[in-house]
């Protein structure tokens, strides 16, 4: 059994990292890498998820295939929505077994094109000012009961809304007065442990970036604003950046009229006097309609048939040449 007492100061220490990144789209590949400080041989590695259960002395759940012998990597080849969560690892060796400490926590979140439940945020943005009220609710078109808002923050770790603020009504969680400690990842979780629609929420003072909560669909319009606390009007002229590169300067808003996959990345805004906003990851979803998929299937079928016909023609041509050559040899012999 893995207990909280395993969080000791003894060495060696297990260190968990993720490759290539922790924000994923459904179907992506991701690898959890567990390493032991100061040593690399003879270890057996195990991987666990962290459960949001307040007061539980053993909040770690071993993955069904979470024991991987001497291999320090745990790979998910095709990420599903339910892979969203918080992970840790541990290593052991020798008889009797000598354990490392529990590793640092590593968050992975997976977004899908059409999740069965959506996390609705009011105000409708991913960045929020301090000392304001923010409402989060899980909305299912079929039935909104049985869902709760789950939170992962540096201060609280993994918890549900009721454990942190004690203000969840049904599937709605209300933060009455935000602080920077509320910065973290929020998602909807069912009673059976299904996890959907993770959103990275940042609480900051003075300057924030207003960006969409949901992934932007390729071809749509993306509009960003730089907002300022206790300022009228709330949006002033600012510079807008993507992945540390200036893309638009001294404007009240930034508009990308036709979004493509290349626009995916980290965005932030900066005012020369008020400072800069935190960074927000903007995801772009590539949508293929049924007609597009049908055309792709037809093209692939045509190419496959064309290749087959080409090979057949070449074989027939070679056979004909061999027969002609054989007849010419016989006539020469006569």
């Amino acid at each position: 059994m893995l207990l909280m007492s395993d969080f000791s100061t003894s060495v060696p220490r297990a260190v968990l990292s993720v490759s290539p990144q922790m924000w994923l789209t459904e179907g992506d590949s991701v690898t959890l890498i567990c390493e032991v400080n100061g040593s690399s041989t003879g270890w057996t590695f195990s991987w666990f998820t962290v459960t949001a259960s307040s007061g539980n002395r053993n909040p770690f759940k071993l993955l069904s295939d979470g024991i991987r012998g001497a291999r320090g990597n745990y790979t998910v080849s095709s990420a599903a929505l339910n892979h969203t969560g918080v992970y840790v690892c541990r290593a052991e060796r020798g008889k009797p077994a000598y354990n490392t400490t529990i590793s640092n926590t590593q968050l992975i979140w997976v977004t899908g094109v059409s999740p069965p439940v959506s996390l609705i945020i009011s105000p409708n943005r991913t960045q929020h000012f301090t000392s304001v009220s923010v409402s989060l609710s899980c909305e299912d078109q079929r039935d909104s009961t049985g869902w709760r808002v789950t939170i992962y923050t540096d201060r609280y770790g993994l918890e549900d809304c009721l454990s942190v603020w004690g203000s969840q009504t049904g599937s709605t969680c209300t933060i009455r007065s935000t602080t920077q400690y509320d910065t973290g990842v929020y998602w909807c979780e069912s009673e059976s442990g299904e996890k959907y629609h993770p959103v990275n929420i940042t609480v900051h003072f003075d300057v924030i970036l207003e960006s969409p909560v949901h992934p932007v669909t390729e071809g749509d319009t993306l509009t960003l604003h730089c907002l300022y606390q206790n300022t009228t009007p709330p949006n002033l002229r600012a510079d807008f950046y993507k992945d540390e590169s200036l893309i638009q300067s001294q404007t009240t808003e930034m508009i990308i009229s036709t979004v493509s996959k290349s626009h995916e990345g980290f965005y932030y805004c900066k005012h020369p006097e008020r400072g800069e906003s935190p960074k927000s990851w903007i995801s772009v979803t590539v949508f293929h309609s049924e007609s597009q998929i049908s055309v792709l299937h037809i093209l692939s079928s045509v190419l496959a048939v064309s290749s087959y016909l080409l090979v057949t023609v070449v074989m027939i041509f070679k056979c004909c040449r061999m027969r002609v050559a054989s007849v010419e040899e016989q006539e020469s012999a006569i």
Side-chain angles (χ1 to χ4, degrees):
M1 177 180 291
L2 192 63
L3 299 176
M4 291 296 293
S5 59
D6 287 327
F7 283 101
S8 62
T9 57
S10 61
V11 292
R13 176 172 171 260
V15 178
L16 183 63
S17 59
V18 63
S19 177
Q21 58 189 16
M22 61 184 180
W23 53 91
L24 306 169
T25 301
E26 198 173 8
D28 286 351
S29 175
V30 63
T31 298
L32 292 167
I33 304 165
C34 193
E35 299 175 298
V36 180
N37 279 354
S39 180
S40 60
T41 59
W43 296 99
T44 297
F45 296 90
S46 302
W47 281 266
F48 305 81
T49 55
V50 183
T51 59
S53 47
S54 182
N56 191 345
R57 292 184 64 248
N58 185 28
F60 306 104
K61 180 181 179 182
L62 179 67
L63 298 179
S64 58
D65 56 347
I67 299 178
R68 294 296 184 92
R71 291 177 294 168
N73 293 349
Y74 181 89
T75 299
V76 177
S77 58
S78 181
L81 298 176
N82 280 348
H83 286 116
T84 291
V86 181
Y87 295 79
V88 296
C89 70
R90 188 183 68 178
E92 64 178 44
R93 69 179 178 185
K95 292 184 179 180
Y98 174 61
N99 296 326
T100 65
T101 60
I102 300 300
S103 72
N104 55 294
T105 57
Q106 179 62 61
L107 175 69
I108 290 177
W109 71 79
V110 185
T111 57
V113 177
S114 300
V117 63
S118 295
L119 180 62
I120 307 300
I121 303 171
S122 181
N124 185 28
R125 55 179 180 252
T126 58
Q127 294 187 15
H128 299 270
F129 292 119
T130 55
S131 304
V132 299
S133 176
V134 176
S135 174
L136 309 99
S137 61
C138 297
E139 293 191 4
D140 188 341
Q141 294 181 352
R142 299 163 300 175
D143 182 10
S144 294
T145 60
W147 295 97
R148 70 176 186 272
V149 177
T150 301
I151 308 148
Y152 178 75
T153 64
D154 290 337
R155 181 180 179 87
Y156 302 114
L158 186 67
E159 295 283 356
D160 56 53
C161 176
L162 191 61
S163 300
V164 179
W165 296 290
S167 56
Q168 177 155 334
T169 304
S171 63
T172 300
C173 172
T174 302
I175 307 173
R176 291 189 174 87
S177 183
T178 54
T179 71
Q180 289 180 281
Y181 293 125
D182 297 322
T183 294
V185 178
Y186 296 67
W187 64 83
C188 296
E189 187 163 341
S190 68
E191 294 175 349
S192 60
E194 296 175 301
K195 308 177 187 71
Y196 295 108
H197 207 157
V199 176
N200 191 28
I201 292 178
T202 305
V203 178
H204 191 63
F205 58 90
D206 209 20
V207 184
I208 64 172
L209 179 73
E210 186 177 54
S211 60
V213 173
H214 307 288
V216 183
T217 303
E218 190 175 38
D220 285 355
T221 299
L222 170 65
T223 302
L224 303 175
H225 293 99
C226 204
L227 302 183
Y228 305 89
Q229 198 166 21
N230 303 320
T231 301
T232 303
N235 53 326
L236 303 176
R237 291 187 176 275
D239 298 331
F240 289 84
Y241 294 79
K242 174 184 179 289
D243 299 329
E244 305 299 337
S245 297
L246 177 66
I247 54 177
Q248 198 163 322
S249 61
Q250 290 303 295
T251 180
T252 57
E253 65 180 12
M254 192 197 78
I255 300 176
I256 300 175
S257 57
T258 305
V259 173
S260 66
K261 192 67 175 177
S262 64
H263 290 117
E264 195 169 71
F266 282 103
Y267 289 77
Y268 68 97
C269 62
K270 185 176 182 180
H271 188 272
E273 297 175 359
R274 303 292 291 268
E276 66 182 53
S277 73
K279 297 176 177 64
S280 276
W281 171 262
I282 294 180
S283 178
V284 178
T285 300
V286 179
F287 177 75
H288 294 291
S289 65
E290 292 184 4
S291 59
Q292 289 175 313
I293 294 172
S294 299
V295 169
L296 290 174
H297 279 293
I298 292 171
L299 287 174
S300 61
S301 300
V302 168
L303 288 173
V305 172
S306 299
S307 301
Y308 174 77
L309 290 175
L310 179 62
V311 171
T312 303
V313 169
V314 171
M315 294 298 294
I316 292 173
F317 179 72
K318 286 186 176 181
C319 288
C320 289
R321 291 193 62 181
M322 290 176 64
R323 290 185 63 183
V324 170
S326 177
V327 170
E328 290 176 349
E329 288 178 0
Q330 291 177 6
E331 288 177 350
S332 299
I334 294 174

